[in-house]
Structures are given as C-alpha cells and as structure tokens.
Amino acid sequence: MRREATARADLLLVCSTGGHLLQLVALRESWEPFERAWVTFDKSDARSLLRGERVYYAHGPTNRSIKNLLRNL
C-alpha cells in the first residue's frame, strides 16, 4: 500500500525480506501503537506480512549496485 509522501510517520521500520522482516513483525507489540512506515524489498512475503501497512519498496540489490544504493537514498 502506498500513501502520499507527505503522510507523517513516527517510526520508520527498515529491513530486508525474509528473516529480518519476520523478526520485526514478531515485535508487533513494540511498534503497533505508532504511526509507521516500512521500507523493504518487493517480495511476496513482504506483500503478505505487511498487507494494510504503509510500505515503500526499496531497489535492490544495493551491495552490488551503486545506482540502486543511490536510488534508495
């Protein structure tokens, strides 16, 4: 789900998909009270786990592509 870039978020949750995403989702009690936005890669697990959340999809890979690293900045 994409929202306007001007929407306010109190918390920015940034992670790769897979295990790191699962770990942050497991910490739901900690972040659920806050207005939040997520940054992760556009993968099926992210789409299903973050359904209904404000998500911005990062460009990857960044460890082999300076272009994608700069796009994500």
Side-chain angles (χ1 to χ4, degrees):
M1 167 191 244
R2 292 193 182 247
R3 294 186 185 168
E4 303 214 9
T6 58
R8 185 171 188 272
D10 297 321
L11 191 61
L12 183 63
L13 299 158
V14 181
C15 63
S16 58
T17 51
H20 293 122
L21 177 59
L22 286 172
Q23 288 173 332
L24 277 179
V25 169
L27 295 170
R28 179 179 304 271
E29 282 183 21
S30 299
W31 52 257
E32 197 165 42
F34 299 96
E35 288 295 320
R36 62 202 167 270
W38 293 80
V39 178
T40 191
F41 297 112
D42 189 6
K43 303 280 184 173
S44 60
D45 59 341
R47 289 197 173 270
S48 63
L49 289 169
L50 300 177
R51 187 172 290 120
E53 294 286 329
R54 184 181 348 166
V55 179
Y56 299 94
Y57 293 107
H59 304 280
T62 56
N63 59 342
R64 294 182 301 263
S65 172
I66 291 176
K67 177 183 173 185
N68 284 341
L69 176 66
L70 295 174
R71 288 170 70 186
N72 288 331
L73 286 177

